[in-house]
Amino acid sequence: MMAKKFHPVDIARLGDDKALAIAAYGEAVAAYRYIVLAEKARDENLRRSFQNMAQQENSQRDRLRDLLERLFPDVCFFLAAEDKRLVCVGPRLVDARNNERFDEAMKLIIASEKRAISFYSRYAAVAKIAEVRELFLTLTEAGLQRVRQLRELFKASGKQIVESCPLQ
Protein backbone atom coordinates (compact mmCIF):
# COMPACT_ATOMS: atom_id res chain seq x y z
CA MET A 1 0.00 0.00 0.00
CA MET A 2 1.34 3.38 -0.96
CA ALA A 3 1.50 6.19 1.59
CA LYS A 4 -0.77 9.14 1.00
CA LYS A 5 1.16 12.04 -0.48
CA PHE A 6 0.40 15.50 0.81
CA HIS A 7 1.26 18.51 -1.29
CA PRO A 8 2.36 21.43 0.85
CA VAL A 9 0.35 24.61 0.50
CA ASP A 10 2.35 27.75 -0.19
CA ILE A 11 0.82 30.00 2.44
CA ALA A 12 2.36 33.10 0.85
CA ARG A 13 0.02 32.53 -2.11
CA LEU A 14 -3.16 32.03 -0.08
CA GLY A 15 -4.21 35.64 0.21
CA ASP A 16 -5.61 37.28 3.31
CA ASP A 17 -9.18 36.35 2.39
CA LYS A 18 -8.56 32.62 2.14
CA ALA A 19 -6.27 32.62 5.19
CA LEU A 20 -9.09 34.19 7.22
CA ALA A 21 -11.54 31.55 5.94
CA ILE A 22 -9.14 28.73 6.85
CA ALA A 23 -8.55 30.20 10.30
CA ALA A 24 -12.31 30.58 10.90
CA TYR A 25 -12.77 26.92 9.95
CA GLY A 26 -10.06 25.87 12.41
CA GLU A 27 -11.58 27.90 15.23
CA ALA A 28 -15.05 26.46 14.52
CA VAL A 29 -13.72 22.89 14.65
CA ALA A 30 -11.81 23.61 17.86
CA ALA A 31 -14.93 25.07 19.50
CA TYR A 32 -16.96 22.02 18.51
CA ARG A 33 -14.32 19.66 19.90
CA TYR A 34 -14.20 21.52 23.22
CA ILE A 35 -17.98 21.30 23.46
CA VAL A 36 -17.75 17.52 22.98
CA LEU A 37 -15.03 17.26 25.65
CA ALA A 38 -17.07 19.40 28.05
CA GLU A 39 -20.05 17.08 27.60
CA LYS A 40 -17.93 13.97 28.23
CA ALA A 41 -15.79 15.31 31.10
CA ARG A 42 -16.54 13.68 34.43
CA ASP A 43 -14.61 16.25 36.42
CA GLU A 44 -16.36 19.60 36.98
CA ASN A 45 -13.10 21.57 36.64
CA LEU A 46 -12.43 19.95 33.27
CA ARG A 47 -16.00 20.59 32.15
CA ARG A 48 -15.80 24.29 33.02
CA SER A 49 -12.37 24.62 31.41
CA PHE A 50 -13.57 23.06 28.17
CA GLN A 51 -16.71 25.20 28.16
CA ASN A 52 -14.55 28.32 28.56
CA MET A 53 -12.26 27.17 25.75
CA ALA A 54 -15.26 26.59 23.49
CA GLN A 55 -16.46 30.13 24.20
CA GLN A 56 -12.99 31.53 23.45
CA GLU A 57 -12.77 29.61 20.18
CA ASN A 58 -16.25 30.75 19.13
CA SER A 59 -15.30 34.34 19.92
CA GLN A 60 -12.13 34.03 17.83
CA ARG A 61 -14.11 32.43 14.99
CA ASP A 62 -16.55 35.35 15.10
CA ARG A 63 -13.70 37.90 14.98
CA LEU A 64 -12.26 36.11 11.95
CA ARG A 65 -15.61 35.93 10.17
CA ASP A 66 -16.40 39.57 10.94
CA LEU A 67 -13.04 40.69 9.57
CA LEU A 68 -13.47 38.49 6.50
CA GLU A 69 -16.94 39.92 5.82
CA ARG A 70 -15.78 43.49 6.37
CA LEU A 71 -12.64 43.28 4.22
CA PHE A 72 -13.88 40.84 1.58
CA PRO A 73 -17.70 41.03 1.54
CA ASP A 74 -18.16 39.14 -1.73
CA VAL A 75 -15.76 36.26 -1.13
CA CYS A 76 -16.86 32.66 -0.70
CA PHE A 77 -14.53 29.67 -0.42
CA PHE A 78 -14.77 25.94 -0.71
CA LEU A 79 -12.01 24.67 1.56
CA ALA A 80 -10.27 21.57 0.27
CA ALA A 81 -8.94 18.91 2.63
CA GLU A 82 -5.42 20.31 2.21
CA ASP A 83 -6.67 23.73 3.35
CA LYS A 84 -8.34 22.22 6.41
CA ARG A 85 -5.19 20.27 7.30
CA LEU A 86 -3.39 23.59 7.75
CA VAL A 87 -5.29 24.11 11.02
CA CYS A 88 -6.68 20.70 12.06
CA VAL A 89 -5.41 17.23 12.83
CA GLY A 90 -7.75 14.25 12.58
CA PRO A 91 -11.51 14.08 12.21
CA ARG A 92 -13.82 16.94 13.18
CA LEU A 93 -15.65 14.78 15.72
CA VAL A 94 -13.52 13.51 18.58
CA ASP A 95 -14.48 10.36 20.47
CA ALA A 96 -14.24 10.88 24.22
CA ARG A 97 -16.65 8.24 25.51
CA ASN A 98 -14.21 6.59 27.92
CA ASN A 99 -10.90 7.42 29.64
CA GLU A 100 -8.68 5.93 26.93
CA ARG A 101 -10.51 7.69 24.13
CA PHE A 102 -10.69 10.90 26.16
CA ASP A 103 -6.88 10.84 26.44
CA GLU A 104 -6.56 10.31 22.69
CA ALA A 105 -9.00 13.17 22.05
CA MET A 106 -6.89 15.45 24.25
CA LYS A 107 -3.75 14.54 22.31
CA LEU A 108 -5.55 15.19 19.02
CA ILE A 109 -6.76 18.57 20.22
CA ILE A 110 -3.29 19.60 21.39
CA ALA A 111 -1.88 18.53 18.01
CA SER A 112 -4.53 20.61 16.23
CA GLU A 113 -3.84 23.63 18.43
CA LYS A 114 -0.15 23.34 17.60
CA ARG A 115 -0.87 23.04 13.88
CA ALA A 116 -3.14 26.10 13.99
CA ILE A 117 -0.47 28.05 15.91
CA SER A 118 2.04 27.16 13.22
CA PHE A 119 -0.32 28.32 10.49
CA TYR A 120 -1.17 31.58 12.27
CA SER A 121 2.43 32.49 12.99
CA ARG A 122 3.61 31.61 9.47
CA TYR A 123 0.76 33.46 7.81
CA ALA A 124 1.21 36.55 10.00
CA ALA A 125 4.65 36.95 8.43
CA VAL A 126 3.18 37.20 4.91
CA ALA A 127 -0.20 38.87 5.54
CA LYS A 128 -0.78 41.86 3.29
CA ILE A 129 -3.23 43.71 5.53
CA ALA A 130 -1.93 44.89 8.92
CA GLU A 131 -5.22 44.09 10.68
CA VAL A 132 -5.04 40.48 9.45
CA ARG A 133 -1.41 40.21 10.55
CA GLU A 134 -2.23 41.55 14.03
CA LEU A 135 -5.18 39.18 14.43
CA PHE A 136 -3.08 36.20 13.40
CA LEU A 137 -0.39 37.19 15.91
CA THR A 138 -3.10 37.44 18.58
CA LEU A 139 -4.39 33.99 17.60
CA THR A 140 -0.85 32.61 17.82
CA GLU A 141 -0.46 33.83 21.41
CA ALA A 142 -3.95 32.62 22.39
CA GLY A 143 -3.15 29.20 20.95
CA LEU A 144 0.12 28.98 22.88
CA GLN A 145 -1.73 29.82 26.09
CA ARG A 146 -4.37 27.20 25.33
CA VAL A 147 -1.74 24.50 24.72
CA ARG A 148 -0.18 25.33 28.09
CA GLN A 149 -3.59 25.17 29.73
CA LEU A 150 -4.42 21.83 28.07
CA ARG A 151 -1.13 20.36 29.23
CA GLU A 152 -1.82 21.56 32.77
CA LEU A 153 -5.33 20.08 32.71
CA PHE A 154 -3.98 16.80 31.41
CA LYS A 155 -1.31 16.70 34.10
CA ALA A 156 -3.77 17.72 36.85
CA SER A 157 -5.96 14.78 35.90
CA GLY A 158 -3.03 12.45 36.64
CA LYS A 159 -2.00 11.89 33.05
CA GLN A 160 1.34 12.44 31.42
CA ILE A 161 0.94 13.51 27.85
CA VAL A 162 3.52 12.39 25.34
CA GLU A 163 3.48 14.51 22.23
CA SER A 164 5.77 14.85 19.28
CA CYS A 165 7.47 18.15 18.52
CA PRO A 166 6.99 19.76 21.94
CA LEU A 167 5.97 23.38 21.80
CA GLN A 168 7.15 25.56 24.66
Side-chain angles (χ1 to χ4, degrees):
M1 184 178 209
M2 205 173 246
K4 201 174 199 179
K5 199 174 212 179
F6 295 108
H7 301 286
V9 174
D10 182 1
I11 62 166
R13 293 179 177 232
L14 281 180
D16 289 353
D17 52 354
K18 189 165 186 181
L20 286 166
I22 291 168
Y25 169 81
E27 296 299 314
V29 170
Y32 178 71
R33 288 174 169 176
Y34 288 126
I35 290 167
V36 170
L37 287 179
E39 291 173 352
K40 299 297 182 181
R42 293 186 181 120
D43 178 80
E44 187 57 35
N45 182 47
L46 276 178
R47 181 175 293 113
R48 274 194 310 276
S49 294
F50 291 137
Q51 288 169 339
N52 288 337
M53 287 180 199
Q55 289 174 344
Q56 291 167 1
E57 298 285 5
N58 278 326
S59 175
Q60 291 172 175
R61 179 210 57 213
D62 292 346
R63 283 183 67 193
L64 287 157
R65 286 182 180 169
D66 290 346
L67 186 57
L68 181 62
E69 288 175 17
R70 186 167 47 83
L71 296 175
F72 307 99
D74 298 325
V75 77
C76 182
F77 286 105
F78 167 79
L79 297 180
E82 63 195 17
D83 297 325
K84 294 174 182 180
R85 280 193 297 268
L86 290 170
V87 290
C88 291
V89 173
R92 179 179 168 92
L93 179 61
V94 292
D95 181 0
R97 65 180 155 211
N98 59 36
N99 282 343
E100 182 179 313
R101 295 196 187 241
F102 192 87
D103 293 355
E104 288 303 312
M106 286 284 287
K107 291 175 186 176
L108 182 79
I109 286 172
I110 289 173
S112 283
E113 287 286 357
K114 288 168 39 177
R115 186 168 290 176
I117 291 165
S118 174
F119 173 71
Y120 299 149
S121 66
R122 289 182 300 133
Y123 193 78
V126 298
K128 309 269 184 301
I129 300 172
E131 195 172 358
V132 173
R133 180 175 29 263
E134 290 169 19
L135 180 53
F136 274 62
L137 290 172
T138 299
L139 292 173
T140 299
E141 185 55 40
L144 288 168
Q145 290 173 357
R146 204 165 12 268
V147 167
R148 287 183 201 106
Q149 184 180 7
L150 286 165
R151 287 177 177 160
E152 289 170 12
L153 287 171
F154 210 62
K155 191 174 181 180
S157 66
K159 315 268 185 198
Q160 185 60 40
I161 189 162
V162 178
E163 53 185 306
S164 59
C165 298
L167 182 67
Q168 298 302 324

